[in-house]
Amino acid sequence: MTTVVRTRAALRAALDSRTRPVGLVPTMGWLHAGHRALMVRAREENATTVVTIFVNPRQFGDPSDLARYPRNEANDLAICETEGVDIVFAPSVDEVYPPGFDTVVSMGAIARPLEGAARPGHFDGVATVVAILFGLVRADRAYVGQKDAQQVAVIRRMALDLAIPTKVIACPTVREPDGLAMSSRNVHLSPDERAAAPVLHRALLAARDSWEQEERSGDALRARMRAVLATEPSADVDYVSCADAATLAELDRVPGRALLSLAVRFGSTRLIDNEPLG
Ligand code: AMP
């Protein structure tokens, strides 16, 4: 049976009767197979699994983006039950940010490029809420998706710098059969946009293919992705990137490991995806 708690106090009480280690899966709900994979891994590796469901207003720059973020708590709770989650923490905004709340985690260089440049303040919002959740749950391990590669780097950096002992574990991206990375935002795609959206993965795979054939020029790999994206007229490219895997700075040449990533709009829906190299 999954225990659902909505307050900090109830969460602490529920955790007090559970055994360690504790695995945490932070989410914004509208759960899909990508989230489920994180839950499965958390269950395999921990005595207690906690899922948090919280649409964090502080990581949305655009109020309309926040307003239209999909929500279906009943379905989310059913999924958590099926996956054998022990505790779901589904707090209100006031419970996470009580009156008088006055602290923000301000991320540095790792949060500047890519998603950070496209969405100012986004990663400070992410880091702040994750620091609170790590503090509340005191998990031994937290499971996060490689799909949000820069978010993984931000959370790791934040936990290291703030001496939070929770180990951050990145799990592979779960995809639809046609390659589209699962995302809560996919629900906003029209049928035509949905049909076009796998071009993100095709672009990444084309660049990976070039890299496997010894292409090491950052410009050439970025151009390869742009060329594939250009085959879909409805794809409005926000960025394509071939960056250092650790710093996320753009690369002229790919020496060893690297991260290919991209962000593309279809109408009003913005999708991201990435592919690690090396
Ligand atoms: P979200 O609810 O979108 O904030 O995502 C919650 C967690 O699930 C984050 O760590 C995401 O990176 C992860 N996640 C989202 N989509 C996927 C996916 N397709 N495959 C693996 N993990 C994912």
Side-chain angles (χ1 to χ4, degrees):
M1 269 292 284
T2 305
T3 304
V4 182
V5 292
R6 300 191 183 277
T7 65
R8 293 171 176 233
L11 174 63
R12 286 282 7 128
L15 281 164
D16 281 346
S17 62
R18 300 283 178 170
T19 39
R20 303 205 80 88
V22 173
L24 167 66
V25 180
T27 82
M28 298 206 297
W30 200 265
L31 302 178
H32 51 65
H35 301 111
R36 289 169 101 116
L38 305 183
M39 295 177 205
V40 168
R41 178 95 185 263
R43 266 201 85 194
E44 279 168 8
E45 298 180 359
N46 300 278
T48 298
T49 298
V50 180
V51 170
T52 61
I53 300 176
F54 180 62
V55 182
N56 174 33
R58 287 178 185 250
Q59 71 189 68
F60 289 81
D62 174 1
S64 67
D65 191 27
L66 171 62
R68 76 173 198 149
Y69 199 83
R71 300 169 197 238
N72 184 343
E73 194 188 81
N75 191 55
D76 290 345
L77 296 180
I79 288 172
C80 291
E81 190 81 55
T82 307
E83 295 301 342
V85 171
D86 298 293
I87 300 170
V88 171
F89 180 48
S92 66
V93 173
D94 274 356
E95 192 64 29
V96 176
Y97 305 112
F101 185 92
D102 201 19
T103 301
V104 169
V105 178
S106 172
M107 297 303 303
I110 193 70
R112 261 173 230 132
L114 306 176
E115 288 303 288
R119 305 176 66 188
H122 169 66
F123 285 123
D124 287 358
V126 170
T128 301
V129 78
V130 172
I132 295 167
L133 296 174
F134 280 12
L136 288 172
V137 178
R138 297 178 215 163
D140 297 274
R141 305 183 184 94
Y143 297 83
V144 296
Q146 171 64 32
K147 176 181 170 262
D148 300 285
Q150 190 174 14
Q151 176 169 279
V152 175
V154 163
I155 293 173
R156 284 215 167 107
R157 186 79 247 171
M158 178 279 293
L160 186 68
D161 291 353
L162 300 184
I164 298 173
T166 303
K167 187 174 175 211
V168 178
I169 297 172
C171 302
T173 302
V174 177
R175 298 178 180 282
E176 302 284 358
D178 61 10
L180 176 63
M182 289 199 178
S183 165
S184 308
R185 294 176 189 276
N186 293 350
V187 69
H188 295 309
L189 297 169
S190 71
D192 284 351
E193 291 165 351
R194 173 63 189 82
V199 75
L200 273 77
H201 192 227
R202 288 204 303 278
L204 291 166
L205 290 186
R208 161 173 276 286
D209 198 48
S210 299
W211 177 79
E212 282 170 359
Q213 290 168 39
E214 310 305 330
E215 178 60 75
R216 291 295 179 268
S217 153
D219 278 344
L221 293 170
R222 285 182 287 267
R224 186 87 189 91
M225 289 188 273
R226 280 195 186 275
V228 175
L229 292 171
T231 63
E232 274 300 344
S234 60
D236 177 8
V237 180
D238 195 342
Y239 63 76
V240 299
S241 163
C242 171
D244 183 280
T247 65
L248 301 182
E250 290 304 311
L251 292 172
D252 292 333
R253 297 207 58 78
V254 179
R257 294 173 59 234
L259 183 76
L260 301 173
S261 64
L262 35 74
V264 178
R265 274 177 211 281
F266 293 91
S268 57
T269 306
R270 185 172 176 280
L271 302 180
I272 60 170
D273 201 349
N274 69 82
E275 175 77 10
L277 298 179

